[in-house]
């Protein structure tokens, strides 16, 4: 798994194998986990993803800059939606990506979430 932050936009790009995305989806669904990143320690990337629970509403995704950890926390219902979306990316055999971008009224992302792009293990654009 690799996490890279674009310093200009604060967007985080997450690339991972299908197994890694599935493990992340399981951790998000369970509301607990710490998954490591394969990024070199000096490239500005996050070193891990930490998953936890909060009462919500929604899922908050933020970058803890001091610890260099992408934190995902939220209520059960919102985490379940995010977990399903991550599983869909992991199993998409023709490529693609998932944008996690908060906007007013977003049904599961909380205000203050950093934008994240999750790239399919089979490439960022569908092969069709």
């Amino acid at each position: 798994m690799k996490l890279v932050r674009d310093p200009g936009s604060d967007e985080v790009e997450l690339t991972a194998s299908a197994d890694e995305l599935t493990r992340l989806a399981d951790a998000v669904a369970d509301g607990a986990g710490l998954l490591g990143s394969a990024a070199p320690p000096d490239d500005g990337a996050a070193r891990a993803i930490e998953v936890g629970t909060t009462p919500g509403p929604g899922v908050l995704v933020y970058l803890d800059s001091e610890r260099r950890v992408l934190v995902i926390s939220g209520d059960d219902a919102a985490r379940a939606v995010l977990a399903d979306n991550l599983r869909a990316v992991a199993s998409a055999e023709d490529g693609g990506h998932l944008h996690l971008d908060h906007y007013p009224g977003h049904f599961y992302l909380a205000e203050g979430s950093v934008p994240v792009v999750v790239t399919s293990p089979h490439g960022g654009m569908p092969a069709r």
Side-chain angles (χ1 to χ4, degrees):
M1 183 174 324
K2 186 173 180 185
L3 297 154
V4 178
R5 183 178 75 81
D6 179 337
S9 68
D10 281 338
E11 180 177 83
V12 176
E13 181 181 354
L14 165 61
T15 54
S17 69
D19 288 341
E20 290 169 327
L21 284 177
T22 300
R23 283 195 303 275
L24 176 58
D26 291 344
V28 169
D30 292 343
L34 181 66
L35 295 91
S37 170
D42 61 347
D43 73 353
R47 295 178 183 164
I49 299 176
E50 180 179 76
V51 180
T53 62
T54 56
V59 170
L60 178 65
V61 181
Y62 68 93
L63 188 58
D64 181 330
S65 302
E66 187 174 305
R67 295 185 307 142
R68 293 182 53 196
V69 172
L70 185 70
V71 179
I72 301 172
S73 63
D75 62 70
D76 292 345
R79 286 192 340 273
V81 174
L82 177 55
D84 287 346
N85 287 341
L86 292 168
R87 284 188 187 98
V89 173
S91 65
E93 294 183 12
D94 66 343
H97 58 275
L98 168 67
H99 284 268
L100 303 175
D101 289 306
H102 175 267
Y103 54 83
H106 195 284
F107 66 102
Y108 73 89
L109 284 177
E111 184 175 355
S113 289
V114 298
V116 178
V117 176
V118 181
T119 302
S120 165
H122 302 286
M125 295 304 294
R128 299 180 218 173

